[in-house]
Amino acid sequence: MTETQEFEALRPLLFSIAYRLLGSVSEAEDAVQETWLRYASGSVQPQSLKAYLSTVVTRISIDVLRSARVRRETYVGPWFPEPLPTSSSTITGYDDPERAAELADSLSMAALLLLERLSPLERAVFVLREVFRFDFPEVAEAVGRSEGACRQLASRARRHMQEGRPRFAADRRRRVELADRFFAALHDGDLQQLTELLAADVVTLNDGGGTSGGQGGAFGAAKAARFLAAVVSPLLAIGARIDKVELNGHPGAVLRDPEGNVIGTWTLEILDGQIQTIHSVTNPEKLRHLGPVGDLRAVLRERNRARRSPG
């Protein structure tokens, strides 16, 4: 294999590490590209290319994460990772279903938000050790700390993650079926069906970055159903559409305006046969990797005009 081919074979792993550390598709892609530039322009002939490139992308990501954390302190409203379209191949590269499920859950919005609570070093150690199962000598090399320090960081990070670890429905097929029923009810404006599918204490939260959409909250099933129907049904009436897609390893959808531009996403967290949490993203800066982005505010204005028009 050529140098380029060897790197490309490891690109999915490098992106997976960087995305879990940064929560940003664009920043993760930039970190991987910077890793390639450093490798291609250097003279290092590593004994293990996987370990070497993982070290480089981890250190780049830690530097980015430290500056990003400062920016997030002034972020308006809830901050969510950029929604990532996923499949069994993009999540894992593994044939083992159990291992695939583990890696899928580590990509969930809930898991990534828990990672936000960790320090950059704790986050890096946790991702490398607990998610990708690197040996401690490899982790220590990647983050530039001793093995003993990494073991302490891993223990501390694992404790924080376990305290708030989300639970999800284990059966992927059942999750998809329930999500299909939810989006069908949303499309039809079926309040009774929506209410039945939502947990009594369902939480609906939106990351609009202070530029588009509200912030959401814990409304209860009936109120959340009415709110969702009131917002979505008029959008569909003017030609918007819901495209179901798996996001961050869980059922989700992309909302498109009448021209097919992306104006938002939903990701559903399902447990015990009901939807527990709905994470939506309408911040246009976090949607660009999904395709051309529309103007949500313009679409809402058009929706309001249509609702006021007689007949």
Side-chain angles (χ1 to χ4, degrees):
M1 294 177 68
T2 66
E3 186 177 79
T4 302
Q5 289 172 327
E6 289 179 321
F7 182 88
E8 289 301 320
L10 290 167
R11 181 183 288 274
L13 171 65
L14 302 178
F15 175 84
S16 295
I17 292 171
Y19 176 76
R20 284 171 172 83
L21 290 179
L22 299 171
S24 165
V25 173
S26 56
E27 289 179 346
E29 290 174 341
D30 288 345
V32 174
Q33 185 62 21
E34 177 63 22
T35 300
W36 162 250
L37 292 174
R38 293 188 187 185
Y39 173 55
S41 63
S43 57
V44 177
Q45 296 295 322
Q47 190 171 26
S48 168
L49 185 60
K50 173 186 172 183
Y52 172 76
L53 294 177
S54 297
T55 293
V56 175
V57 80
T58 297
R59 293 187 178 184
I60 291 171
S61 297
I62 288 174
D63 289 341
V64 175
L65 183 59
R66 283 171 172 155
S67 62
R69 287 168 73 90
V70 175
R71 296 197 305 272
R72 291 171 194 172
E73 289 175 1
T74 60
Y75 195 82
V76 178
W79 180 95
F80 296 154
E82 292 180 8
L84 178 68
T86 49
S87 65
S88 58
S89 59
T90 57
I91 289 174
T92 68
Y94 290 84
D95 295 327
D96 179 0
E98 184 176 344
R99 181 72 177 118
E102 286 180 13
L103 287 170
D105 280 349
S106 75
L107 268 179
S108 72
M109 286 283 184
L112 291 172
L113 287 171
L114 277 176
L115 283 171
E116 283 290 306
R117 302 180 186 181
L118 307 181
S119 72
L121 278 178
E122 287 173 339
R123 187 166 180 165
V125 169
F126 183 87
V127 167
L128 293 175
R129 176 62 183 171
E130 302 298 323
V131 178
F132 293 103
R133 299 180 179 176
F134 280 50
D135 293 334
F136 272 112
E138 295 175 312
V139 175
E141 175 64 25
V143 301
R145 294 292 189 273
S146 68
E147 287 186 44
C150 287
R151 291 180 185 277
Q152 290 182 339
L153 287 166
S155 176
R156 195 157 58 235
R158 191 162 49 243
R159 185 168 61 251
H160 287 313
M161 293 293 288
Q162 287 173 344
E163 288 171 357
R165 181 174 293 280
R167 295 188 302 133
F168 303 116
D171 189 327
R172 182 177 181 276
R173 180 180 57 81
R174 290 180 60 190
R175 286 190 301 189
V176 171
E177 289 176 352
L178 191 146
D180 286 346
R181 290 165 55 202
F182 169 78
F183 287 118
L186 190 58
H187 185 277
D188 296 339
D190 187 337
L191 287 177
Q192 180 176 345
Q193 177 76 337
L194 284 172
T195 303
E196 291 174 356
L197 292 171
L198 298 173
D201 56 349
V202 64
V203 176
T204 63
L205 294 173
N206 179 58
D207 177 347
T211 63
S212 58
Q215 297 183 13
F219 303 121
K223 187 174 180 179
R226 290 194 300 271
F227 171 76
L228 289 167
V231 170
V232 175
S233 294
L235 291 177
L236 298 177
I238 63 170
R241 74 174 193 263
I242 299 172
D243 289 345
K244 291 180 291 185
V245 63
E246 184 178 280
L247 295 170
N248 293 83
H250 290 261
V254 175
L255 179 64
R256 299 184 183 274
D257 68 16
E259 285 70 46
N261 300 312
V262 179
I263 53 176
T265 64
W266 288 293
T267 306
L268 311 181
E269 292 176 4
I270 296 169
L271 181 67
D272 298 331
Q274 290 183 309
I275 296 167
Q276 306 290 328
T277 307
I278 303 174
H279 290 110
S280 61
V281 176
T282 56
N283 182 348
E285 296 300 319
K286 294 190 174 184
L287 301 173
R288 301 191 187 285
H289 61 288
L290 299 174
V293 177
D295 186 339
L296 177 60
R297 287 172 295 185
V299 176
L300 292 175
R301 287 194 297 269
E302 175 61 27
R303 176 202 66 178
N304 293 335
R305 280 196 297 270
R307 294 173 73 176
R308 291 193 298 266
S309 297

